[in-house]
Amino acid sequence: MYAIIGAGPTGLCAARQLKKHGIDFVGFELHSDVGGLWDIDNPHSTMYHSAHLISSKGTTEFRDFPMRPEVASYPHHSEMRRYFRDYARQFGLYQHYQFDTRVVQLQRLDKGWTLVSARNGEQREWRLDGVLIANGTLHTPNLPSLPGHFAGEVLHSSAYKSADIFAGKRVLVVGCGNSACDIAVDAVHRAASVDLSVRRGYYFLPKFILGKPTDTFGGAIRLPRRLKQLLDGLLVRALVGKPSQYGLPDPDYRLYESHPVMNSLVLHHIGHGDIRVRGDITAMDGHSVTFAHGAQAEYDLILLATGYKLDYPFIERSELNWPEGAGAPQLYLNVFHPQRDDLFVLGMVEASGLGWQGRDEQAELVALYIRQLQAGSPAAQALRQTIREQAGQRLDGGYRYLPLERMAYYVHKDSYRRRIAAHSAVLRRELSETAYAATQGA
């Protein structure tokens, strides 16, 4: 039996693929229902009331389980929760999960794993053939140290739910990623003032171009990487201008070398003076904050939209082939351990446009690999050799991604999906040939 840790979207597609390929498994989920962070009622969710999907539904949904036609192009989180619950019902996944159950520890055995789970104060030990870790990447806040003492309230975006907390307050949002910009726009309507502390440059993309979701444009014609960066960069410049025209720093890297911000509303509010742009924080004293270049202002609340850290608290870091100083475990395709054929990390991958379908393809490859390993197939043995030789290889498509912790598991979507598809095709073909041979011999 295999274990799946997590019932968010990645855990659910892993469950579906194991079930589809006849692999016995049990799932573990902290909350009482599926959906992971997309269920705002999940006490472990980092969702906030105004949150919507950043990518459009057409590029994000499972190919064989499309979202309902009436769902908006960029669905609200409540629609996503409904979507994942419908998915779990459609494919009969609920009965495979242990809900309200925490995975306390994973312990490696000579063959297989021992998993300790806890529910209602009682622990249970499971003996497993293998483990698929799918507990997500956005649950442990990255909390930077702040220079000095701040007398007001400091909150990480993981704890943010509603703009009510900003009512009448002088607010400083630290960071300029998608969540930071969403929350700063939320704050405009309730706060006495809103400032945005920005350390580096970002590319800002509108969510719609000519009435269509931005991420549905392009792709019909494959362009050389540099030409695509140039042309798309010129289009972005024509649509929204340069960040420096709004008082923001211009990026010192090319488009797609870091995750862009899908938010033009923040530029609208900066342009109207509703949000003031500040530099990096250099000092704090009481309610006063000093920024780079000497500017000072006073605040009642600082909200840190500083992202998340990869965290797998139930397993030793060394078991994940995660060297000290590395931003992420060193796994082939961000999934396969170079020494262990019974440990997989799913969902530890980011790419513009990868969507849930890309993660489903990832899960299918794992299921095919497990199935064919059990059958002793040559294709699985060949993939095992590739995993051991290329675990440190990164499929970046030639893009020079910024050396940031959150970019440590970023990949180039097309390169990644092509590699996944190639491996799956070989395993699937051998599986079909084996099944055909069995019918001929019957």
Side-chain angles (χ1 to χ4, degrees):
M1 177 184 286
Y2 283 73
I4 297 174
I5 301 175
T10 301
L12 291 177
C13 61
R16 186 199 169 193
Q17 290 296 342
L18 291 192
K19 183 176 181 179
K20 177 180 172 183
H21 288 280
I23 300 166
D24 192 24
F25 71 94
V26 58
F28 299 92
E29 169 55 41
L30 271 170
H31 187 40
S32 58
D33 211 326
V34 303
L37 68 84
W38 291 102
D39 184 352
I40 199 169
D41 295 328
N42 179 345
H44 313 286
S45 172
T46 55
M47 195 59 56
Y48 44 93
H49 289 305
S50 63
H52 289 70
L53 197 62
I54 293 171
S55 53
S56 66
K57 70 175 184 179
T59 62
T60 308
E61 64 194 2
F62 294 109
R63 185 183 299 120
D64 58 357
F65 194 76
M67 297 185 199
R68 295 173 296 115
E70 62 269 25
V71 172
S73 296
Y74 293 95
H76 187 255
H77 65 80
S78 59
E79 288 288 358
M80 296 304 299
R81 176 173 69 177
R82 176 189 297 179
Y83 177 68
F84 293 122
R85 289 180 177 180
D86 288 348
Y87 181 93
R89 280 189 287 267
Q90 174 70 24
F91 297 110
L93 305 179
Y94 272 103
Q95 59 265 38
H96 293 279
Y97 271 90
Q98 302 279 317
F99 289 101
D100 297 308
T101 303
R102 177 183 295 276
V103 174
V104 178
Q105 185 182 43
L106 276 176
Q107 187 71 42
R108 178 165 55 92
L109 303 172
D110 289 338
K111 184 173 176 58
W113 296 83
T114 295
L115 182 150
V116 179
S117 66
R119 185 180 185 212
N120 296 330
E122 295 185 5
Q123 291 195 348
R124 179 177 174 183
E125 191 172 285
W126 305 72
R127 178 70 180 267
L128 300 160
D129 297 312
V131 180
L132 285 69
I133 297 174
N135 64 313
T137 60
L138 303 175
H139 51 82
T140 300
N142 176 39
L143 295 168
S145 58
L146 296 173
H149 169 70
F150 181 65
E153 183 180 2
V154 178
L155 189 71
H156 189 271
S157 58
S158 60
Y160 171 70
K161 297 298 178 185
S162 165
D164 291 345
I165 64 166
F166 300 132
K169 295 178 181 176
R170 299 164 296 178
V171 175
L172 175 65
V173 178
V174 178
C176 198
N178 283 288
S179 293
C181 292
D182 281 354
I183 294 169
V185 170
D186 280 358
V188 161
H189 305 290
R190 299 300 306 275
S193 66
V194 183
D195 289 7
L196 193 63
S197 172
V198 185
R199 186 168 54 181
R200 64 179 180 88
Y202 291 79
Y203 286 95
F204 294 83
L205 278 60
K207 284 197 167 183
F208 293 93
I209 299 176
L210 300 176
K212 295 182 179 180
T214 299
D215 60 6
T216 63
F217 281 81
I221 302 174
R222 287 183 60 188
L223 298 173
R225 172 177 51 83
R226 283 291 177 84
L227 181 58
K228 179 175 176 58
Q229 287 177 301
L230 174 63
L231 294 179
D232 288 1
L234 290 173
L235 177 61
V236 170
R237 179 81 61 86
L239 290 170
V240 300
K242 295 174 63 177
S244 55
Q245 292 176 289
Y246 300 85
L248 290 156
D250 287 323
D252 58 0
Y253 53 92
R254 293 186 176 90
L255 186 60
Y256 305 128
E257 292 178 349
S258 183
H259 202 68
V261 177
M262 296 293 293
N263 188 322
S264 53
L265 277 176
V266 71
L267 302 180
H268 168 89
H269 284 293
I270 291 171
H272 285 75
D274 302 327
I275 299 173
R276 290 179 300 181
V277 178
R278 303 290 193 179
D280 196 15
I281 298 173
T282 58
M284 298 188 308
D285 184 17
H287 287 270
S288 178
V289 177
T290 303
F291 300 96
H293 309 300
Q296 286 186 319
E298 296 209 341
Y299 302 97
D300 304 300
L301 187 153
I302 295 177
L303 188 135
L304 302 171
T306 48
Y308 297 86
K309 304 181 105 173
L310 287 180
D311 188 18
Y312 304 102
F314 40 76
I315 186 171
E316 292 291 332
R317 185 183 175 113
S318 59
E319 297 286 11
L320 294 170
N321 197 37
W322 193 350
E324 284 297 326
Q330 305 299 289
L331 309 175
Y332 182 62
L333 295 174
N334 294 23
V335 176
F336 298 91
H337 194 288
Q339 283 85 42
R340 300 284 302 193
D341 294 324
D342 53 9
L343 179 66
F344 310 91
V345 179
L346 295 175
M348 190 195 75
V349 59
E350 287 293 339
S352 295
L354 187 64
W356 306 127
Q357 180 58 33
R359 289 162 174 82
D360 185 62
E361 292 162 5
Q362 185 188 67
E364 182 186 30
L365 176 57
V366 170
L368 286 166
Y369 181 61
I370 292 171
R371 176 80 182 272
Q372 292 297 75
L373 273 180
Q374 291 172 345
S377 85
Q381 296 300 326
L383 178 52
R384 172 189 279 177
Q385 187 63 30
T386 299
I387 291 167
R388 290 176 177 171
E389 292 173 353
Q390 300 182 24
Q393 184 186 90
R394 186 177 188 183
L395 293 179
D396 56 16
Y399 289 89
R400 296 181 179 179
Y401 296 132
L402 296 187
L404 304 172
E405 192 165 322
R406 73 176 298 269
M407 298 295 293
Y409 47 97
Y410 210 86
V411 300
H412 178 240
K413 177 194 69 173
D414 295 335
S415 301
Y416 188 82
R417 292 183 73 175
R418 279 197 298 270
R419 184 72 63 87
I420 291 274
H423 288 313
S424 292
V426 172
L427 291 170
R428 201 181 293 113
R429 183 166 57 249
E430 188 169 79
L431 186 63
S432 298
E433 290 170 354
T434 302
Y436 176 76
T439 60
Q440 293 299 104

